Amino acid sequence: MAFVVSGCQGLLAVVFLASAVSKLRGGRALRAFAASLAAMRLVSRSRAAFVAATLAAAEGCVAVLLAVPLTRQAGFAAAIALLAVLTAGVAVVLARDGGVPCRCFGASPAPLSGRHLVRNLLLVAVALAGLVLPAGSPASTGWLIAFLAGGLGGVIVTLLDDLVELFVPSPTS
């Protein structure tokens, strides 16, 4: 089970790091994320910039907590809490039939859909597995391989919208 936990760590660390970096890479990206939160009617326009910066910073903190073996448990717990908030936001937007683009990992034109909700629920399951399964020592080579394999899974998760668009083009394409 220790390698499963390491894989969960790697997957979530990459997902949260990519999400944070995509929002914090420049003022334009952060403003676009803030605008999307306001367009989704999750926060008021006056609070959108603060909430966007807070979420991006929290994602960065979770990535760091997950990447450090001594803070792994706190990272999994923080990931669960943050994913619960993000998943609730997606559910609210879908219930309103919002059709607002997801800015989860940058400038994707894909509107929020059921796949985003499923993705977040699966990420919650990964975080829960990492939190409750027994973890081994991070000293073994196997730990690093499992962490990197999980990280590769995280890359796939972050590219989900692009992969879907590649294989299932939207009707407007």
Side-chain angles (χ1 to χ4, degrees):
M1 287 298 156
F3 296 138
V4 172
V5 172
S6 300
C8 292
Q9 263 182 280
L11 187 146
L12 291 170
V14 166
V15 166
F16 279 105
L17 181 64
S19 187
V21 167
S22 74
K23 295 172 182 103
L24 296 172
R25 71 179 184 270
R28 187 179 199 183
L30 191 58
R31 285 190 300 275
F33 178 57
S36 73
L37 292 175
M40 291 177 196
R41 296 179 290 142
L42 293 172
V43 297
S44 67
R45 290 213 180 274
S46 63
R47 297 190 49 102
F50 172 76
V51 172
T54 302
L55 284 172
E59 290 170 338
C61 289
V62 169
V64 171
L65 288 170
L66 285 165
V68 176
L70 293 175
T71 59
R72 170 184 56 229
Q73 291 296 98
F76 283 129
I80 292 166
L82 187 53
L83 284 164
V85 170
L86 298 172
T87 304
V90 172
V92 166
V93 172
L94 291 177
R96 293 180 185 157
D97 196 32
V100 178
C102 172
R103 301 283 182 204
C104 308
F105 300 107
S108 171
L112 282 174
S113 68
R115 80 171 170 261
H116 296 99
L117 187 62
V118 170
R119 176 201 61 206
N120 282 10
L121 290 171
L122 290 173
L123 290 173
V124 169
V126 168
L128 280 169
L131 186 64
V132 302
L133 291 175
S137 168
S140 73
T141 305
W143 175 89
L144 180 60
I145 292 169
F147 185 88
L148 293 174
L152 180 59
V155 170
I156 292 168
V157 169
T158 63
L159 297 174
L160 178 65
D161 286 337
D162 295 328
L163 292 170
V164 168
E165 181 64 27
L166 180 65
F167 294 106
V168 185
S170 65
T172 58
S173 296

